Amino acid sequence: MPGDFHPIAVLDSGVGGLSILREIRRQLPEENFLYFADQGHVPYGPRPLTEIQSFVRGIARFFLLHDARVIVLACNAASAAGLHDARRTFPQTPFIGMEPAIKPAAERTRKGVIGVITTKATYQGELFASAVDRFANDIEVVTQVCPEFVTLVEAGRLDGEEVHQAVQSYLTPLIEAEIDELVLGCTHFPFLTPIIRAVIGEQVEIVDPGPAVAQQTKRVVSQYPNRSRSTGSVTYFTSGDASIFHEIAQQLLDESIDAQQVVKVRWVDGDVVEFLD
Ligand code: DGL
């Protein structure tokens, strides 16, 4: 991969961040991208925040070796655990992070009850508590941790009886609480939107943070213009199995990806290196 592309770099524990990459590419189609799926460590959700922090630092170092000019944490768990730490560790690098979109949901709710589905790391992080404090003080926030959704999306299982049942059982408490806004607090979840919609009904607004994160990325990127060639290229890295990533990414993005665009990497002593057979 050429070193003069000054790409926008996007990371997630796995394929979830593709829901964010898709939105960013829609808004910035000319840009070059790197996408990192840390599938050797997925899921991040159940892990201690300090461990996730060290993953984010390792991936950021790898991105900077590849001349990344902006880094997007397209992962709520990575942002909850590692955004502040990454900004402190790499003060020259602009980082874009995310938090569950509690603000728009709290502003819109008519019933005063919103639901948030997320993972444990995000729920335990400071960003979550502070978003509830700042924006949802006077309403009820019903939170549900849904680790199984991450596993389903990683396996490309987006429909069928078993998926339906899992979604039904996680969402039942939220339906019973009569929420009218449902915040997707994990970037894997937008890929389950059709089945979530089927279970939750038409009356509940589903809040996907992708477009807002893409807007924010566009704003930040405009302050760091690319002085190199922009070709709209995407290179994908995975610390898991490259052929499985290739297959699932094509399914989720609904586009064909050249196998050459997917590069296997591995972790060595806290750093990411490209895999050589
Ligand atoms: N996609 C992720 C998020 O937004 C991480 C899910 C996980 O690995 O547990 O939080």
Side-chain angles (χ1 to χ4, degrees), residues 139-218:
I139 60 163
E140 190 183 342
V141 180
V142 186
T143 306
Q144 179 75 297
V145 169
C146 309
E148 208 180 326
F149 291 3
V150 175
T151 322
L152 291 170
V153 174
E154 283 295 311
R157 289 169 57 203
L158 309 182
D159 51 29
E161 193 42 39
E162 196 195 333
V163 184
H164 193 277
Q165 267 178 22
V167 172
Q168 179 83 54
S169 85
Y170 281 110
L171 294 188
T172 296
L174 308 184
I175 296 168
E176 286 172 0
E178 298 193 10
I179 61 163
D180 61 359
E181 298 277 331
L182 178 66
V183 177
L184 305 184
C186 170
T187 54
H188 282 72
F189 299 174
F191 292 116
L192 292 172
T193 296
I195 202 149
I196 290 173
R197 168 62 68 213
V199 168
I200 202 111
E202 294 299 323
Q203 305 308 317
V204 176
E205 190 72 34
I206 298 175
V207 191
D208 171 1
V213 176
Q215 272 294 329
Q216 172 66 1
T217 305
K218 195 173 175 183

Side-chain angles (χ1 to χ4, degrees), residues 12-13 16 42-46 74-77 119 122 150 185-188:
D12 181 45
S13 60
V42 71
Y44 276 6
C75 174
N76 291 265
T119 66
T122 300
V150 175
C186 170
T187 54
H188 282 72

Side-chain angles (χ1 to χ4, degrees), residues 256-269:
S256 92
I257 295 172
D258 192 325
Q260 308 283 339
Q261 286 173 258
V262 181
V263 179
K264 163 83 183 149
V265 294
R266 64 197 168 102
W267 285 92
V268 179
D269 298 332

